[in-house]
Amino acid sequence: MNFIERNKEIYDVKMLSPLVWAYVGDSVYEMFIRTNLVNHSNAKPHKLHIESIKYVKAKAQGNILDKIYDSLTDEEKEIVRRGRNTENHHTAKNSNVAEYAKATSFEALIGYLYLIKEDERLKQILELCID
């Protein structure tokens, strides 16, 4: 995703709210899932949408985080912790507070790695999501 300029310095990214990381991470993750589905299917848009929901809903993201957590670095685990503990006044319509917090922390990790331009590490983590 080099076509989108990411011009914040790492220090500045670290100062952002974890909810900002999650805001970006939600978008990056959804784009990854949608692109992966298109690359591996000839399905029509509605079927692609139904399939993508299996990956992007809060419960699924929480399960992915559980699956990859032990492979995260200490810094990445800290990003996850900050994402989980940040105060969020929203919940997804089909999840509970705990699932939503875990999904937010997963999205925060994805957004953080994207914003600091850790593209290789981001790719490694995203590829673990679809195994």
Side-chain angles (χ1 to χ4, degrees), residues 18 28 38 44 46 65 80 104:
V28 170
V38 168
K44 294 184 178 181
H46 179 72
L65 182 60
V80 167
T104 300

Side-chain angles (χ1 to χ4, degrees), residues 1 6 13 18 20-33 61 64-65 68 72 76 79-80 83 102-119 121-129:
M1 291 194 191
R6 295 166 283 173
V13 172
V20 172
W21 301 335
Y23 171 75
V24 172
D26 175 60
S27 163
V28 170
Y29 181 64
E30 182 136 6
M31 178 64 83
F32 170 77
I33 292 299
Q61 289 180 348
I64 290 166
L65 182 60
I68 68 170
L72 299 180
E76 292 164 349
I79 297 303
V80 167
K102 196 181 284 188
T104 300
S105 64
F106 171 75
E107 291 171 345
L109 174 63
I110 299 302
Y112 176 82
L113 291 172
Y114 177 78
L115 289 169
I116 65 167
K117 304 173 194 138
E118 282 288 338
D119 295 337
R121 181 61 176 151
L122 178 59
K123 182 180 176 190
Q124 290 171 350
I125 288 174
L126 290 173
E127 287 176 348
L128 292 173
C129 298

Side-chain angles (χ1 to χ4, degrees), residues 23-109:
Y23 171 75
V24 172
D26 175 60
S27 163
V28 170
Y29 181 64
E30 182 136 6
M31 178 64 83
F32 170 77
I33 292 299
R34 287 181 178 207
T35 303
N36 188 63
L37 289 172
V38 168
N39 286 343
H40 295 94
S41 169
N42 290 323
K44 294 184 178 181
H46 179 72
K47 174 87 167 131
L48 292 167
H49 174 70
I50 298 302
E51 191 64 25
S52 73
I53 290 170
K54 295 176 186 176
Y55 293 92
V56 300
K57 64 184 179 182
K59 184 175 178 92
Q61 289 180 348
N63 290 341
I64 290 166
L65 182 60
D66 289 340
K67 179 176 133 180
I68 68 170
Y69 189 80
D70 289 339
S71 68
L72 299 180
T73 66
D74 289 342
E75 178 186 10
E76 292 164 349
K77 288 177 181 177
E78 177 62 16
I79 297 303
V80 167
R81 185 195 66 75
R82 287 184 60 194
R84 184 184 61 242
N85 291 340
T86 195
E87 189 169 336
N88 192 342
H89 299 289
H90 296 86
T91 56
K93 58 185 169 187
N94 295 317
S95 72
N96 60 44
V97 173
E99 288 172 342
Y100 194 72
K102 196 181 284 188
T104 300
S105 64
F106 171 75
E107 291 171 345
L109 174 63

